[in-house]
Amino acid sequence: MTASVHRDVSTAAPTPDVLRDLLTTMWRIRAFEERVGALKRADEVHGLIHLSIGGEGVAAAVCRQLRDGDAVYSGHRAHGHAVAKGTPLDRTMAELMGREGGLCSGMGGSMHLVDVAHGFLGATGVVGGNIPLALGSALAAKQRGTDAVAVVFFGDGAVQAGLFTESVNLATLWRLPVLLVCENNGFAEFTPRSAHTTVERVSDVVAPYPLPRTTVDGNEVGEVWSAFSELLARARAGEGPALLECLTHRLRGHYEGDPDRYREAVSTEDWQRKDPILRLQRAGHDAGWLAADEPAALEAAARAEVDEAVAWARSSPFPAVARAAALVESGGAR
Ligand SMILES: Cc1ncc(C[n+]2csc(CCOP(=O)(O)OP(=O)(O)O)c2C)c(N)n1
Ligand SMILES: [Mg+2]
């Protein structure tokens, strides 16, 4: 499946076919990230790893509505966004494993994933640093006279960085086709939102600016889909930026290996019940569009695809040291 192929989208609620597609994408992300966690513990994946397990609905619902020519920017929790935008699992996994066949020749890793061909313009470890970059892509689209958009995913912590407000200011002033998608999981690293701001809703932070702002349940994938499709249609029509705040939760620690001792106040059990995959499956069974045996089949297919990706990545060599030296001399990846 290529998640980023253009399809006609309407602002109506997603059809059962779309919902099945979203479930497929969420399973691919879940299987991929669970395996990344295991490979990190086995020391086959390198560097700091941040997983989005429990929040896959946002990536799936947003990226399913985009085209290859639309730019997506992510942050440090980027694997789900990349996979949903259509980066191939094998080359993405190879990148995390530091192999030459990886998206960036194995020299970027988890927080520097880039796949220009699929419009995934990148992860970054600089919290909030992706937001002005997305404005750049949006400005380019506008100057070229296309109806392409830029989407940037960021967390609630990034909103406290000054460049968030600077970006909202310019995006609204220039009416740029940029969609600001905030995944508000209530934490910035180990700090709860209440400890770093008095403004609970990110959508309220942008209240003085002339842009639509919507807060949705990020674990209700149909809700994310519908809200985003409306904002996307506006942006494509030249009506400017929008902010979509998705309330969600990470079921894993901030990073793999996080002792996770700061979350006593949050009921993980509640959030497990709100797992976007399980919720969509329950809804699909209740509404009759999902057969009883389909979830197991989707999960098995996703895990088999990830197995193949890992095997492919393992067969790819580590990049030669001379290559790294040449990169430093030439000033960047080729
Ligand atoms: C500019 C900058 N400041 C600080 C950090 C350290 N840091 C890494 S992740 C993080 C918290 C980010 O929180 P949020 O944006 O809510 O994303 P989440 O981890 O919750 O997905 C911080 C402060 C950083 N990477 N970059
Ligand atoms: Mg956060």
Side-chain angles (χ1 to χ4, degrees), residues 155-157 183-196 246-250 266 271:
D156 44 309
E183 292 170 307
N184 183 351
N185 60 14
F187 279 91
E189 287 186 319
F190 325 109
T191 308
R193 187 158 175 77
S194 59
H196 63 80
C246 304
L247 304 179
T248 185
H249 184 71
R250 52 175 164 74
V266 178
W271 280 106

Side-chain angles (χ1 to χ4, degrees), residues 25 40 43 46 48-49 51 56 59 71 120 140 167 180 190 192 210-211 235 241 265 274 288-289 302 312 328 331:
T25 300
K40 170 70 185 166
D43 202 26
H46 310 289
L48 206 52
I49 295 294
L51 301 180
E56 297 91 341
F120 186 72
S167 298
L180 309 163
F190 325 109
L211 81 170
K274 290 184 196 162
W289 58 261
W312 186 86
V328 172

